[in-house]
Amino acid sequence: LLCSRSMASKTPVGFIGLGNMGNPMAKNLIKHGYPLILYDIFPEACKDFKDGEQVVSSPADVAERADRIITMLPTSSNALEVYTGPKGILKKVKKGSLLIDSSTIDPAVSKELAKDVEKMGAVLMDSPVSGGVGAARAGNLTFMVGGPEQEFAAAKELLACMGSNVVYCGGVGTGQAAKICNNMLLAITMIGTAETMNLGIRLGLDPKLLAKILNMSSGRCWASDTYNPVPGVMDGVPSANNYQGGFGTMLMAKDLGLAQESATSTKSPVFLGGLSHQIYRMMCAKGYAQKDFSSVFQFLREEESL
């Protein structure tokens, strides 16, 4: 029985959105033996997946052929289009389907979509990720999952092929909430670390020594001890490689925008979160959009020369 159960679980899975994150995530599902039904709005995104994987021409076609679908999309409007658009998933979704949205979008939109999906007799769970492209390739992403708890095990079966941490957060939208809150704190602490390092350097401290002191003191944080923004302080981080790779400034600005919207709708004061949003937006306007978000250190250095 166990054997037939594990065979049965390898029925085709739909995957929509094969960008920087979706591409390596889909490849990890294939490695775990899942046949995939694929769609991306840009046909060239599917060219990596010709052998054995089915590429179809719309989200509706995916829903027709698979009753478990993962979506990985850039924005709330992309998610709305893929689910509720004229050729969207909801046009052909089968009753009992499990839809897992790993996009980072507004929690209010996740809740809205979940209602529409429920009307069709299917289930939507939000499961945004943390860890970036490197973790997507390595298969050790963290998934924060929101939705009906009785569906969590079914979602986890798939998500565990792509991530090392799969955490149940509560009802629909709570996965997004956890992700947005984490990234707001990450932005605030990264900016704080960059300002601190810059000040210390100006005061004549050696950057490596200053980082060492911070990291044995109460100012220590992930930005200072794991992802230091100052070139030459650490190896193997974007600051050591001209801020290439990592988590793009544009994506951080997007997530801070979501935090801002959520703060407005819940009447929560986010003074530093709001300021961080403005700083990252300004960086996008000044040519940092594609650089890692730790490039705020470089941005500060440039600003002060004015």
Side-chain angles (χ1 to χ4, degrees):
L1 182 77
L2 189 74
C3 181
S4 67
R5 173 69 199 272
S6 65
M7 288 307 294
S9 70
K10 301 286 196 267
T11 55
V13 172
F15 206 110
I16 300 172
L18 299 161
N20 293 339
M21 294 293 290
N23 175 308
M25 287 166 66
K27 285 178 180 163
N28 280 324
L29 278 174
I30 294 168
K31 271 188 201 139
H32 282 82
Y34 289 94
L36 298 188
I37 314 286
L38 302 164
Y39 171 75
D40 192 284
I41 195 163
F42 301 109
E44 62 272 23
C46 301
K47 69 179 186 304
D48 276 7
F49 296 95
K50 280 294 175 266
D51 36 279
E53 310 313 315
Q54 271 179 281
V55 177
V56 296
S57 59
S58 74
D61 292 345
V62 175
E64 206 170 14
R65 290 173 172 79
D67 60 7
R68 293 179 293 178
I69 302 171
I70 295 163
T71 53
M72 188 56 164
L73 307 158
T75 65
S76 297
S77 57
N78 300 133
L80 285 164
E81 178 70 14
V82 160
Y83 281 91
T84 64
K87 291 185 174 174
I89 290 172
L90 292 182
K91 287 276 180 279
K92 295 274 175 77
V93 70
K94 301 173 189 171
K95 271 197 166 45
S97 291
L98 176 61
L99 311 177
I100 301 172
D101 181 31
S102 284
S103 323
T104 298
I105 60 173
D106 185 335
V109 173
S110 296
K111 288 178 186 165
E112 203 55 46
L113 285 175
K115 280 191 194 124
D116 295 338
V117 167
E118 198 179 358
K119 282 179 195 144
M120 306 300 290
V123 172
L124 175 74
M125 302 189 85
D126 61 306
S127 70
V129 302
S130 157
V133 175
R137 286 200 190 105
N140 58 14
L141 290 163
T142 293
F143 289 91
M144 291 147 277
V145 186
E149 192 165 9
Q150 66 274 21
E151 301 293 338
F152 178 61
K156 189 173 179 177
E157 181 199 322
L158 295 177
L159 299 177
C161 299
M162 303 178 284
S164 48
N165 296 308
V166 184
V167 184
Y168 182 69
C169 297
V172 175
T174 56
Q176 302 292 357
K179 162 85 188 255
I180 290 167
C181 289
N182 178 73
N183 281 14
M184 183 174 85
L185 182 58
L186 177 58
I188 292 167
T189 52
M190 180 57 77
I191 295 166
T193 301
E195 289 186 358
T196 298
M197 292 297 297
N198 188 39
L199 176 61
I201 291 164
R202 289 291 153 119
L203 290 169
L205 284 161
D206 172 76
K208 273 191 166 160
L209 175 74
L210 175 55
K212 187 179 160 185
I213 292 167
L214 291 175
N215 293 336
M216 58 173 73
S217 308
S218 52
R220 183 178 67 89
C221 62
W222 188 84
S224 72
D225 76 358
T226 306
Y227 211 83
N228 201 286
V230 180
V233 168
M234 292 181 74
D235 295 326
V237 292
S239 62
N241 185 29
N242 201 24
Y243 301 105
Q244 300 307 303
F247 181 54
T249 292
M250 190 166 72
L251 290 172
M252 180 54 96
K254 173 199 133 179
D255 287 359
L256 290 166
L258 293 172
Q260 194 68 65
E261 286 166 29
S262 296
T264 303
S265 65
T266 56
K267 298 186 170 58
S268 309
V270 288
F271 301 113
L272 295 181
L275 191 53
S276 302
H277 183 215
Q278 299 307 320
I279 290 168
Y280 277 104
R281 282 180 58 202
M282 176 67 80
M283 286 172 65
C284 290
K286 295 210 168 177
Y288 290 84
Q290 301 309 318
K291 293 192 166 188
D292 179 73
F293 80 109
S294 64
S295 64
V296 65
F297 175 76
Q298 193 181 24
F299 172 72
L300 288 175
R301 301 281 283 193
E302 278 188 11
E303 286 303 288
E304 67 198 8
S305 62
L306 299 178

